[in-house]
Amino acid sequence: QWDMGHRVLNHRPICRGIHGHRYKAEICISGEIISEKGASEEGMVVDFADIKKIAKDFIHNKLDHAFMVWDKDKEMIDFFKVSDGHKPVVVPFTPPVENVAKYIFNTLAPKIIDNYSNGVYLSSVKVWETPTSFAVYSK
């Protein structure tokens, strides 16, 4: 889970304004169960600790307490150019939760390493924007 601000520039007035959410991401991994005898991960698809480390490194270091801003949002880009103490994450897309889920998926997918040749891969990312609203992205 992480806290992040954004605005959806072209949306109806409620989301066009600067606001934030308490996001939560579900990272879903697929692959065959590791059968290598004596391996630390025997019986698993992947060690959850490995996935947690990859996800937390990105989410907590880059997104937590940040403000996601579309690179076409001139007003916000100009604000961040002259204002210190903020953590802008400038992205090439408008940032509703659907695009946030895709962004996280595309960032994390190449970091999932198939150490045991069991075909492990990132199958989907589900991002909750509110307790009742989420988006799922998968390839």
Side-chain angles (χ1 to χ4, degrees):
Q1 294 186 23
W2 73 101
D3 297 299
M4 185 175 75
H6 75 158
R7 78 173 181 163
V8 182
L9 186 60
N10 297 327
H11 193 261
R12 292 179 288 254
I14 192 165
C15 289
R16 187 179 319 173
I18 297 168
H19 65 284
H21 298 281
R22 176 79 174 156
Y23 292 91
K24 179 173 83 169
E26 293 180 22
I27 310 301
C28 300
I29 305 297
S30 294
E32 296 297 318
I33 293 176
I34 298 166
S35 58
E36 184 178 316
K37 299 295 181 209
S40 175
E41 290 84 357
E42 182 179 4
M44 303 175 189
V45 171
V46 68
D47 189 327
F48 288 149
D50 295 340
I51 300 305
K52 247 186 205 178
K53 182 179 182 336
I54 291 166
K56 285 181 84 172
D57 281 350
F58 173 66
I59 290 171
H60 286 276
N61 291 336
K62 178 135 181 150
L63 302 181
D64 192 34
H65 286 81
F67 188 91
M68 187 171 280
V69 58
W70 185 18
D71 63 3
K72 292 187 178 16
D73 187 342
K74 184 176 173 3
E75 182 180 6
M76 294 308 302
I77 295 292
D78 289 348
F79 169 79
F80 286 119
K81 283 180 184 174
V82 299
S83 183
D84 290 333
H86 300 287
K87 189 177 170 182
V89 175
V90 180
V91 293
F93 52 81
T94 186
V97 70
E98 294 85 350
N99 278 336
V100 174
K102 180 179 179 183
Y103 176 66
I104 292 171
F105 182 98
N106 288 335
T107 301
L108 297 183
K111 297 177 185 211
I112 308 301
I113 307 299
D114 190 359
N115 291 325
Y116 287 92
S117 299
N118 64 326
V120 68
Y121 66 96
L122 179 60
S123 59
S124 67
V125 171
K126 181 178 191 177
V127 177
W128 295 84
E129 188 176 75
T130 70
T132 59
S133 301
F134 65 86
V136 178
Y137 183 83
S138 62
K139 287 236 172 174

